[in-house]
Amino acid sequence: MSEIETLFGVLRQSADEGVVDMLERMVREAPDHALNRMNALDLAANAGLDEERVVAGLLHAVQLGMAEMTWSVICPSCAGVLSANKSLKTLNSPHYHCAFCAAGYETTLDNLVEVTFTISPRVRKIAAHNPDELPLADYYRQIFWSSAIELPPDLETLLREVTLETFDLPPGERAILSLHVPEGTLIVFDPVTHTAQFLEIKGEETSERQNLSMIFNKAETPTEAITLRPGPLRLALDNRTDGRVLPAVWVANPALDALLTRRKPALTAKRLLTNQTFRDLYRTETLAIGQRLKILSLTFLFSDLRDSTGLYQHVGDLVAFDLVNEHFRLLQEIIASERGAIVKTIGDAVMATFETPDRAIAAAIRMREAMSELGAERQYQGLLLKMGIHEGSCLAVTLNGQQDYFGQTVNIASRVQGLAASRAIVVTEQVVEHSDTRTLLEAGGLTPTRRSVALSGIADKMSVYEIP
C-alpha cells in the first residue's frame, strides 16, 4: 500500500466517507488548479455534500499533512488576494489596501478573510506549488484572485478582452513597452507586488510619444491617476524584486466590470472560527498572545443548567455527573449541526458562537427540547436550560491559552442569559429583528414577548424578548 493510500485510509477514520471519496477522486483526476486554494463551500455544492462535513474533512486532511490551509485577506471589490497567510497569527495589519481598486479596508474576519485548502506536495505535486512558473492567466486564477470569484473556464480569452499588453519580467531586469493608448481609463497593474498606476487617457490624440516609468519593489506606492492623451506611450518597467513580476495594462471596460462582479460563496474566517471541528482541532495556537482581530457580527449563546446544585442533591453525584455529561454531549451535537461551536464550558454553563442569529435560535429551541427528552428518559423533569442570545461586534483573542472572544457583546449575552427563567429563551432586539430569525419564529408559531430591562454595566435599559 502506498503512502497516499495509507493517508486516505487514516482520513476515513475521522472524516465523512463521501468527502474522502471526493478528495481521493480529485487527487487522481482533477486538473492542478482544482487542487489549489480549494473553496470548501464550492466543493460541497458541486458534489452535493454537506458543507460542514466538507469543511471538517478538509480540516482533518490538514491535520494529517495531506493539505495546507491558507487565510487570505481579500479585497471585497475585486476579490483579489491582498495577503496570503498560513496562520491567523500573521494577520497583524489593522488595514489592508488594494492597489488595483485604489481602496483600503479595515481588517475584519467577517468577509475580508477567506480560508482555502491546497493539496500537499506529499499527496500530489501541482503547478501552484511553484507559482513563479505559472503562466499569466494561471497566476491570476490560482494566486491573485480568491476563491470567491467565479472565473470562466477560458480565463485567458477573457483577459485578452480587458488588457492591452502583458509582460513577464524576470527579477532585476528592465523592459520597455511601446503601445498606443486609447481614450478611457487604464490600469498598469502587477499582481505579484500589487503595484498599480491609474491612467486617465483623454483629450485630443497626439502623435508625440509620451513616457511613463514604473518601479516594482514591493513598496506601497500612491495610486493617484496620471493624465495622458490618446496616442503612443513608452512604458519603462523596472523590476527591483528578487522574483518575477507580471505587469499588464488593463482597460476599464464593461468586460472587466462583469468579470469582477462574478461571485460565489466562500469559507470565511468568521465561519471557520464557529466550526466545532476547527475548535476541536485548533483550540490553542490559533491567534498570537495579544493579537486582536475584529468581527463585525457574531452571535453568542450562553446556556446554564437550572438549579444544578439541586440536581446533585436529588439524584446523587454519580447519576448527576452522567446527566451533566450527556447534557454537554447533546448540546455540542446540536450546536455543531447548526453551524456553531462551543467556545468553552464554565461549570454547567456553555458559551457558544454562531455565524448568524437564526442559527443560534434554532439551536436553542432544539437544545430546550433535547433537555426535556433527556429528563423524561432519565426520569428527572427538572433538567431545564436557561439560555440567552445576543449578536454584535467583538474581538477574537487568545485567553487562558485558547481562542476566545472579548467585548461588550459577550458581556451582554452572558447577562441576558441570567434573565432567563424556566424554559424561556431570552434574546436581544438585534437577534429577534434579524430577518431569518423572524422567518424561523413565524414558521414555528413562536411569538416573542418584549420587556425592558436594566443590565449591570449597561447605561441604558435594553429591550429583550422571551421566546416561550
Side-chain angles (χ1 to χ4, degrees), residues 320-387:
F321 181 79
D322 288 341
L323 273 171
V324 171
N325 275 352
E326 181 63 8
H327 136 270
F328 280 132
R329 188 193 68 79
L330 288 170
L331 263 53
Q332 176 162 322
E333 183 179 284
I334 292 169
I335 289 167
S337 70
E338 293 293 345
R339 286 188 5 203
I342 292 179
V343 178
K344 58 188 173 184
T345 59
I346 311 155
D348 301 325
V350 165
M351 171 186 173
T353 56
F354 296 83
E355 191 179 13
T356 54
D358 59 302
R359 293 281 182 177
I361 292 284
I365 293 170
R366 290 177 57 194
M367 287 158 62
R368 179 167 65 182
E369 295 307 314
M371 288 306 99
S372 294
E373 292 172 5
L374 178 61
E377 178 188 318
R378 302 293 178 90
Q379 298 182 338
Y380 183 75
Q381 298 303 322
L383 207 60
L384 299 174
L385 284 179
K386 301 193 303 178
M387 288 182 280

Side-chain angles (χ1 to χ4, degrees), residues 31 52 66 70 91 93 182 189 236 257 338 357 379 381 397 408-409:
E52 295 301 288
M66 299 174 67
T70 302
L91 235 78
S93 175
F189 179 68
D257 293 338
E338 293 293 345
Q379 298 182 338
Q381 298 303 322
V397 298
Q408 189 74 308
T409 299

Side-chain angles (χ1 to χ4, degrees), residues 245-390:
V245 294
L246 299 168
V249 183
W250 292 74
V251 181
N253 60 17
L256 179 59
D257 293 338
L259 170 64
L260 299 183
T261 55
R262 296 164 64 116
R263 291 290 189 275
K264 58 185 177 182
L267 179 63
T268 64
K270 168 182 150 178
R271 176 165 175 180
L272 190 60
L273 291 182
T274 64
N275 176 277
Q276 190 63 56
T277 301
F278 177 80
R279 288 203 66 91
D280 291 342
L281 295 177
Y282 297 90
R283 188 168 298 278
T284 61
E285 300 298 315
T286 302
L287 300 173
I289 301 297
Q291 186 181 15
R292 299 169 296 176
L293 293 173
K294 188 173 183 180
I295 298 177
L296 297 177
S297 171
L298 195 65
T299 302
F300 291 87
L301 180 153
F302 280 82
S303 76
D304 195 9
L305 274 175
R306 193 187 74 171
D307 190 25
S308 57
T309 302
L311 169 65
Y312 281 83
Q313 290 178 343
H314 188 268
V315 300
D317 288 350
L318 185 59
V319 174
F321 181 79
D322 288 341
L323 273 171
V324 171
N325 275 352
E326 181 63 8
H327 136 270
F328 280 132
R329 188 193 68 79
L330 288 170
L331 263 53
Q332 176 162 322
E333 183 179 284
I334 292 169
I335 289 167
S337 70
E338 293 293 345
R339 286 188 5 203
I342 292 179
V343 178
K344 58 188 173 184
T345 59
I346 311 155
D348 301 325
V350 165
M351 171 186 173
T353 56
F354 296 83
E355 191 179 13
T356 54
D358 59 302
R359 293 281 182 177
I361 292 284
I365 293 170
R366 290 177 57 194
M367 287 158 62
R368 179 167 65 182
E369 295 307 314
M371 288 306 99
S372 294
E373 292 172 5
L374 178 61
E377 178 188 318
R378 302 293 178 90
Q379 298 182 338
Y380 183 75
Q381 298 303 322
L383 207 60
L384 299 174
L385 284 179
K386 301 193 303 178
M387 288 182 280
I389 302 172
H390 180 50

Side-chain angles (χ1 to χ4, degrees), residues 36-52:
N36 180 54
R37 291 191 183 174
M38 292 180 280
N39 179 331
L41 307 190
D42 199 38
L43 290 180
N46 292 334
L49 296 169
D50 177 75
E51 290 179 352
E52 295 301 288

